[in-house]
């Protein structure tokens, strides 16, 4: 627990929910309470159970509405959907001998130029909102296939629990599937990076990410 911010956040959520349940003081409807009071002893016991159940349902329903009204935090699974959308701007132009693309970056974190080494050409980009974060995606194409490289502002994001670790030349990556796409994620200078595609092998994405 001490070494995992994600588990600490989940524990805090559970503690807040338990505190909210204990703080509720919901009563069953007056008609039901009057019926219990007027019933014979044996029926009263049965109805007392119903009374307690009704109060519990009322408290749970109120809790669900209260907790459910909180906006869901942005997830990496949701981020993969941006890679399936169309580009909104013209493609960045490669520069001979350059390893990064000019004119497109997120807080100084630049996008790679994969054309010379891997044959993937940059074909356009787009910017989306992910809660309070900004997600900038550059698209690369090769032989009819397309790869999306997304950088999300606002600090590291939680790694999906379904992901598996992968390494390329000693660099750790996390591979997972979402929205019909395979994705590879890692951190660069405090930003969350994500390479995703449909119909491209995970090993290829891990190599590109490294």
């Amino acid at each position: 627990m001490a070494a995992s911010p994600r588990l600490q956040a989940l524990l805090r959520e559970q503690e807040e929910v338990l505190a909210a349940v204990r703080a509720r003081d919901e009563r069953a409807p007056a008609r039901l309470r009057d019926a219990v009071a007027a019933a014979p002893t044996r029926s009263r016991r049965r109805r007392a159970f119903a009374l307690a159940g009704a109060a519990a349902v009322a408290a749970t329903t109120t809790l669900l509405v209260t907790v459910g009204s909180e906006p869901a935090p942005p997830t990496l699974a949701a981020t993969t959907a941006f890679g399936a959308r169309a580009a909104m701007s013209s493609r960045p132009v490669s520069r001979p001998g350059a390893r990064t693309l000019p004119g497109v970056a997120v807080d100084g974190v630049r996008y790679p130029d994969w054309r010379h080494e891997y044959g993937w050409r940059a074909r356009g980009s787009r910017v989306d909102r992910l809660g309070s974060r900004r997600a900038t995606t550059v698209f690369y194409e090769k032989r009819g296939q397309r790869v999306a490289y997304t950088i999300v502002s606002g600090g590291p994001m939680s790694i999906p629990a379904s992901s598996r670790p992968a390494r390329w030349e000693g660099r750790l990556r996390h591979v997972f599937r979402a929205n019909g796409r395979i994705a590879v994620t890692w951190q660069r200078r405090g930003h969350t990076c994500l390479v995703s595609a449909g119909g491209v092998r995970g090993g290829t994405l891990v190599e590109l990410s490294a």
Side-chain angles (χ1 to χ4, degrees):
M1 287 290 296
S4 173
R6 178 173 176 272
L7 290 179
Q8 292 172 22
L10 290 174
L11 177 61
R12 285 194 297 270
E13 285 184 12
Q14 292 182 6
E15 290 173 340
E16 290 172 0
V17 170
L18 287 174
V21 170
R22 290 168 181 152
R24 302 304 305 176
D25 186 20
E26 297 290 335
R27 302 189 69 191
R31 289 177 58 187
L32 180 57
R33 287 187 279 110
D34 292 342
V36 171
T41 303
R42 293 182 62 184
S43 297
R44 190 177 303 167
R45 290 197 188 100
R46 291 196 299 269
R47 294 190 184 186
F49 284 113
L51 185 66
V57 169
T60 303
T61 302
T62 304
L63 175 65
L64 289 175
V65 171
T66 303
V67 175
S69 62
E70 298 283 337
T75 65
L76 282 174
T79 308
T80 61
F82 301 145
R85 297 178 181 176
M88 298 173 60
S89 63
S90 58
R91 71 171 186 260
V93 180
S94 298
R95 293 177 298 185
R99 301 188 64 181
T100 60
L101 296 171
V104 56
V106 176
D107 298 332
V109 181
R110 295 188 173 276
Y111 288 80
D113 188 342
W114 289 330
R115 176 184 177 184
H116 307 292
E117 188 171 359
Y118 298 104
W120 290 90
R121 295 172 178 263
R123 293 299 190 187
S125 63
R126 64 176 295 120
V127 178
D128 295 279
R129 300 300 303 182
L130 189 67
S132 61
R133 300 170 182 258
R134 185 179 73 255
T136 305
T137 303
V138 171
F139 300 98
Y140 301 81
E141 293 183 0
K142 176 182 178 181
R143 298 173 185 170
Q145 294 182 313
R146 189 172 81 153
V147 167
Y149 188 141
T150 303
I151 300 178
V152 185
S153 65
M157 298 175 65
S158 298
I159 305 299
S162 62
S163 67
R164 61 176 177 83
R167 289 185 180 274
W168 185 272
E169 297 180 348
R171 298 171 182 174
L172 177 63
R173 300 291 186 256
H174 296 276
V175 184
F176 64 97
R177 290 182 178 275
N179 296 309
R181 300 171 66 82
I182 189 166
V184 177
T185 185
W186 71 102
Q187 302 294 323
R188 280 182 63 195
R189 295 169 59 180
H191 291 69
T192 297
C193 297
L194 182 84
V195 173
S196 67
V200 178
R201 293 188 306 109
T204 298
L205 297 182
V206 171
E207 180 181 1
L208 289 174
S209 74

